[in-house]
Amino acid sequence: MADDKLRQELYYIAKLTTKYDFKDMSVVEEILRQENERKLLTSVFGTRFKTRIFDIASDVKHEDTCVICGKPAENGVACAACLKSILESKYAKNKNEIEQTGRFNLKKLFDNKLFRRVKSFFSSLSSKSKNSHEIPEKVDTVESSETTKWYKSIRAKHVFQYSCIVCLTLILFIQIYILGVWLSLPTYNKKEPVRKSQYEATSLADENQALKELQKEFSEEDGYTITYSRQDREYVGRFLIDIGDCCEEVEEELSPEERYEYFFQEDVYVFYITNISDYSAVIGKAEVNANGSIILTGSFNDGRKTDCLYRFR
């Protein structure tokens, strides 16, 4: 479910970025208002997108980098490469197809050949009934009245029967359509165990050595793209917890004495990792310290919170 939620947010970000001009403040303000009401963007990339839109609305100086991969973005929000990868993915094509075919058009319904045939059938039935209801003038008045009532009751029964047939047919078509949409939905992977590195931590001298260590874990042959972002500061304690543990969960359980040593900071190298294909989207961030330990955030494991950090190596 976490991967599908992330794909939904990336698709939503890409649609907004390609559809609207963020130089128009009315557009930016409307996006922020909608997000405050609906709370659609909750992942690390959704939060980054909201922050960038808020900076634009507040006229705060910000880096013109892609909120997804960290590369330069002409529109100041998302680069063309990420937008193309997302909008040409199988997930986006399925969403577009469902949006197009899922719209109910009343005019098309009445223009349908089946509807025209049913209408023609009822018209012919009505004309035949009128002709068959003609009664000779010389027939007795009481007999004429009873005969007319009988014919009207028969006609009402026929109209009711055919109306039921049409309604049941429409209901059947709607059920078949819903079944088709349900069968076209992507299947979700089962929750997988926490991903852990098979390599030992190795001391690093610069970001190039850190990149090589990450490439051992996320190779180009497997479709991964690693982009160096910056050198930053991170809590020392996050690189000392057990491999596979979630940093945020561990921090909630720390005692005051443990917090004193945990929250010192050290220099780290920050990288963005992406692997977007027609069937999946793996996007996240890696932080590597000088000892070669690694912490990750993103959709690297099914069933994990994509906006939380966990120790990988």
Side-chain angles (χ1 to χ4, degrees):
M1 291 297 289
D3 272 354
D4 188 67
K5 180 65 171 64
L6 180 61
R7 282 193 288 267
Q8 288 178 352
E9 291 195 27
L10 289 173
Y11 177 74
Y12 180 61
I13 291 171
K15 290 281 285 186
L16 289 177
T17 305
T18 55
K19 188 175 180 179
Y20 297 108
D21 181 10
F22 296 124
K23 294 179 182 179
D24 187 347
M25 287 299 104
S26 62
V27 170
V28 174
E29 291 171 0
E30 180 61 18
I31 291 174
L32 290 173
R33 187 185 68 79
Q34 291 283 349
E35 176 55 24
N36 287 334
E37 293 177 357
R38 302 167 65 187
K39 306 295 183 184
L40 296 176
L41 301 171
T42 57
S43 70
V44 62
F45 303 104
T47 303
R48 195 179 298 156
F49 176 79
K50 285 192 293 185
T51 302
R52 182 64 55 81
I53 295 300
F54 184 83
D55 289 344
I56 294 173
S58 305
D59 198 22
V60 176
K61 186 176 181 181
H62 56 83
E63 297 180 358
D64 291 332
T65 56
C66 178
V67 297
I68 299 174
C69 69
K71 293 181 180 179
E74 294 180 0
N75 56 18
V77 178
C79 67
C82 288
L83 293 176
K84 182 178 180 182
S85 299
I86 295 169
L87 294 176
E88 291 183 359
S89 66
K90 187 174 181 180
Y91 178 84
K93 291 177 181 177
N94 285 340
K95 289 285 291 184
N96 289 331
E97 184 177 350
I98 291 172
E99 290 173 1
Q100 292 297 326
T101 58
R103 292 174 182 152
F104 181 77
N105 192 317
L106 190 60
K107 185 176 183 302
K108 289 184 179 179
L109 175 63
F110 286 110
D111 289 339
N112 187 275
K113 289 183 178 179
L114 176 61
F115 183 85
R116 291 201 300 270
R117 288 179 182 176
V118 172
K119 183 179 178 181
S120 176
F121 175 80
F122 283 144
S123 298
S124 63
L125 180 64
S126 176
S127 62
K128 287 179 181 179
S129 299
K130 287 181 180 179
N131 294 333
S132 64
H133 296 161
E134 293 178 357
I135 302 172
E137 295 178 357
K138 296 181 180 180
V139 177
D140 185 76
T141 306
V142 176
E143 183 181 350
S144 174
S145 176
E146 291 178 354
T147 305
T148 302
K149 289 180 181 179
W150 181 79
Y151 274 112
K152 285 184 177 179
S153 65
I154 294 297
R155 182 184 175 190
K157 288 181 181 178
H158 286 168
V159 171
F160 177 74
Q161 289 175 351
Y162 287 117
S163 298
C164 289
I165 292 173
V166 172
C167 291
L168 291 173
T169 303
L170 289 175
I171 291 172
L172 177 62
F173 286 152
I174 292 172
Q175 290 176 333
I176 292 173
Y177 171 74
I178 293 173
L179 178 62
V181 172
W182 181 76
L183 292 175
S184 68
L185 293 175
T187 56
Y188 302 112
N189 297 326
K190 296 180 180 179
K191 184 176 180 180
E192 297 180 357
V194 178
R195 184 172 180 176
K196 301 178 182 179
S197 173
Q198 299 179 353
Y199 298 92
E200 295 293 332
T202 305
S203 298
L204 308 173
D206 53 31
E207 65 271 16
N208 293 325
Q209 291 186 3
L211 176 62
K212 290 180 181 179
E213 291 299 314
L214 281 176
Q215 286 173 341
K216 292 180 182 179
E217 314 285 356
F218 307 97
S219 64
E220 262 187 55
E221 290 77 9
D222 293 331
Y224 288 98
T225 300
I226 304 175
T227 306
Y228 175 67
S229 174
R230 63 188 183 279
Q231 190 171 9
D232 209 336
R233 304 279 291 173
E234 184 57 276
Y235 299 133
V236 173
R238 288 180 171 175
F239 294 95
L240 301 177
I241 64 176
D242 293 335
I243 295 176
D245 283 351
C246 176
C247 298
E248 286 80 356
E249 292 176 358
V250 172
E251 290 163 10
E252 291 177 357
E253 303 296 330
L254 292 176
S255 66
E257 294 78 11
E258 291 171 330
R259 286 177 177 274
Y260 179 77
E261 297 181 357
Y262 185 96
F263 288 108
F264 280 108
Q265 292 186 335
E266 63 177 333
D267 290 332
V268 295
Y269 304 108
V270 181
F271 297 85
Y272 290 111
I273 304 173
T274 58
N275 187 344
I276 302 176
S277 67
D278 291 340
Y279 306 99
S280 64
V282 176
I283 302 176
K285 182 176 71 173
E287 298 180 3
V288 188
N289 68 359
N291 297 325
S293 296
I294 302 172
I295 56 175
L296 297 177
T297 181
S299 55
F300 295 99
N301 294 96
D302 289 342
R304 297 183 65 86
K305 296 179 181 178
T306 57
D307 56 348
C308 291
L309 294 163
Y310 72 96
R311 187 173 175 198
F312 175 67
R313 183 201 285 188

